[in-house]
Amino acid sequence: MKFNIAVIAGDGIGPEITKVTTDVLEAAGAKFGHGFKFTDVLMGGCAIDKTGVPLPDETIRICKDSDSVLLGAVGGPKWDTLPGHLRPEKGLLGIRAALGLYANIRPAVLFPSLINACPLRADIAARGIDMVVYRELTGGMYFGERGMREGKYGAEAYDTEAYSKFEVERIARLAFECALTRKKHVISIDKANVLDSSRLWRATVAEVAKAYPGVTCENMLVDNAAMQLVKNPSQFDVIVTSNIFGDILSDEASMVTGSIGMLPSSSIGDSKLGLYEPIHGSAPDIAGKDLANPIATVLSAAMMLESSLGLPDAALAIRRAIDAALLKGFRTGDIMSAGCTPVGCKEMGGLIIAGLK
Ligand code: IPM
Ligand code: MN
């Protein structure tokens, strides 16, 4: 089959990592008899520079007409002083909302070959880390009412956290469905000792849980969760949480696995169309230097093959090729350890492609 993929390379290291990833997709496609038509579209800082807005209408239209969307990263210091509605990040929030992508799925796995990159004590790392974060993606304070007003101490800015039962139910259901395929254990993370929105979150998750009697459901307060992720990460299987808590905790989850440069994500809604991106940012400090780790983006493409395009064999082949490159000791700078061979972004891509042949 031939698939139409919209590619948002974005800013910073985005173009380097998406180039490697589309090359890997081509190679995987050739191996399994599928083709891809990649269409480059603008979003983020590069879109602001060329069109004046972070998310041109044409980008939304092309993404909606595609089978899937691959995204590098957006943002950078050049655009940091622009007003909120014109920042590159606004493009990312806009595309998530425009495509109805309410679930952001972020698997955090400690690769056995990268155990030396794990910053935790060896006995903790030895217990293994294999969790998946289900982050709500189109609600909460990212999209709540916001503005400026006169407050007790003069002018103040505010953002509001609001969740409806409907929004919690749909992300919770996806998390429980996923748990059925794993260790049947969901931990819902909130701040129900303080926030009303979290109390509704917790009550709604409990209701959804009733439909999954085979799945254990626990609640954890977000401050405790931040601690537990470094103290005992092996206790986590499926995490479900709000947009803001998921943003923060997934960075933490990624770092305990060794490097943020390894973690993929998928953002999905009710249709097959998904958006696949690494969880890291645009890393402007290393952009254009061929130093970035492309693995998070390549793993995101593997998630795309599996979830949006129905090609689990091609996804598995890519994962195996990555494992093989790591087992042979090839490392980008972020995951480098003594005795390994340093490689750049392109070379890592070449190794993955060679592993597919
Ligand atoms: C992420 C990023 C984004 C987010 C930013 C760039 C808007 O940090 O995907 O985790 O906060 O969702
Ligand atoms: Mn983030």
Side-chain angles (χ1 to χ4, degrees), residues 261-284:
M262 294 291 299
L263 262 71
S265 86
S266 68
S267 301
I268 59 166
D270 288 323
S271 78
K272 276 211 165 244
L273 174 64
L275 181 145
Y276 296 81
E277 57 171 317
I279 87 154
H280 60 70
S282 59

Side-chain angles (χ1 to χ4, degrees), residues 74 89 92-93 96 104 106 135 137 142 243 247 250-251 277-279:
V74 296
E89 291 81 359
L92 183 53
L93 302 184
R96 288 170 178 170
N104 182 218
R106 301 185 157 184
R135 167 190 178 195
L137 201 60
Y142 274 64
N243 204 342
D247 177 47
S250 60
D251 268 31
E277 57 171 317
I279 87 154

